[in-house]
Amino acid sequence: MTGRKRFEPSAWAQAGWWTTAVRVGAAVGPLVICALLATDRRDITPVIAVLVLVLWVVAAAATADRLAALIAAVSGGVWFDFFLARPYHQFAIADTAHVVATVLLVLIGIAVAELALWGHRQQAGAARRSGYLDGLLASAAAIRDGSAPTRAVTEIAAQQIADTLNVERSTFVDGPIRDARIAVLEQDGTVVRGGRRVDVTRIGLPTDEYVAIPVQRGQAVLGYFRVSSATHVRHPSSEQCRVAVLLADQVAGAFGTASSVSTD
């Protein structure tokens, strides 16, 4: 089976080499910054130093790696103490104002990192919702056109379902579901396997068996989309599951003008 990799902002933090580079940079960056600022301590106030270090935390948080942002915040506090707080070049602070500045630096850095990560999550969520809408519109357009054969419509919907659930493969199978072992994605977006509901948001989609998304007209099952996630455990949200069901429902309209064709 061929895999498909989706690139989102959080994908940077998931790449092994990139994660290592970001975290090393998050730790080393404050060291370099504080060492440079220490060359002119008379003109560099603690406030200026804290603001510069917070910018580095923001840069680390922009990669959507929470640990990198926290490393940058803690590293900034440590090296601010070492280079810019008396006694210099010691991990000790004699001035109360500098103690407050160090604590605030770490706390502000953590707060800024969380805000930046929240923004990333909102952006990723908006991108996913836009992708879901594009998939629904593409399927609706193919069905509304009426000239596209059923096979083409099911292939479009299968691709959109695979993208929505972030699985390796989705194919359309003509006719009812005959294998009782297959888990079924119900109309309400829940997955049922062997008569029991499976919390896919927590434990993920089954990897040892297919998941079927029925295409129905009334009580008649015209076919189903056979979804495979064999190589990696996927944890689709309830929103993703409901969108996949809507995509399958749209396909039922294509059977009114053309004969069904299996794409198995």
Side-chain angles (χ1 to χ4, degrees):
M1 298 180 183
T2 58
R4 203 169 22 260
K5 185 173 182 180
R6 300 174 67 178
F7 186 83
E8 297 177 352
S10 60
W12 288 9
Q14 295 170 358
W17 67 269
W18 174 257
T19 299
T20 302
V22 167
R23 292 175 182 175
V24 170
V28 174
L31 165 62
V32 175
I33 291 170
C34 290
L36 292 175
L37 294 178
T39 61
D40 191 8
R41 293 191 184 96
R42 288 181 301 175
D43 296 329
I44 301 299
T45 66
V47 173
I48 293 175
V50 167
L51 290 175
V52 172
L53 290 169
V54 166
L55 286 176
W56 189 257
V57 176
V58 173
T63 65
D65 186 347
R66 174 180 278 103
L67 182 56
L70 294 178
I71 290 172
V74 173
S75 178
V78 169
W79 295 116
F80 176 86
D81 171 14
F82 188 81
F83 285 105
L84 300 173
R86 291 189 177 89
Y88 301 126
H89 303 147
Q90 296 182 34
F91 291 110
I93 305 177
D95 191 336
T96 302
H98 283 175
V99 172
V100 173
T102 302
V103 173
L104 286 177
L105 170 59
V106 176
L107 293 179
I108 291 171
I110 292 173
V112 168
E114 289 301 318
L115 285 172
L117 291 168
W118 177 83
H120 272 291
R121 289 194 296 269
Q122 296 302 308
Q123 182 184 20
R128 285 194 298 270
R129 287 189 289 273
S130 176
Y132 303 157
L133 180 59
D134 289 344
L136 287 169
L137 291 176
S139 297
I143 295 169
R144 185 176 60 251
D145 180 55
S147 60
T150 304
R151 182 187 182 107
V153 173
T154 56
E155 286 179 349
I156 292 171
Q159 181 64 53
Q160 296 295 344
I161 287 172
D163 290 341
T164 297
L165 297 178
N166 194 25
V167 296
E168 289 94 345
R169 189 180 181 190
S170 172
T171 56
F172 180 77
V173 179
D174 194 35
I177 303 168
R178 297 183 175 88
D179 191 342
R181 296 173 302 175
I182 296 179
V184 178
L185 181 56
E186 302 283 1
Q187 289 293 308
D188 61 358
T190 60
V191 175
V192 176
R193 187 180 191 186
R196 297 182 179 180
R197 292 194 174 188
V198 180
D199 185 0
V200 295
T201 60
R202 184 172 60 87
I203 64 176
L205 293 172
T207 57
D208 59 342
E209 192 51 79
Y210 295 108
V211 175
I213 308 176
V215 175
Q216 296 179 249
R217 179 181 295 144
Q219 297 301 316
V221 178
L222 307 175
Y224 62 94
F225 287 96
R226 192 172 64 184
V227 174
S228 173
S229 180
T231 59
H232 295 89
V233 178
R234 308 296 183 183
H235 298 80
S237 65
S238 58
E239 181 184 42
Q240 287 172 282
C241 291
R242 288 194 296 270
V243 171
V245 169
L246 286 174
L247 285 163
D249 284 345
Q250 295 235 358
V251 172
F255 286 81
T257 57
S259 59
S260 61
V261 179
S262 172
T263 59
D264 188 16

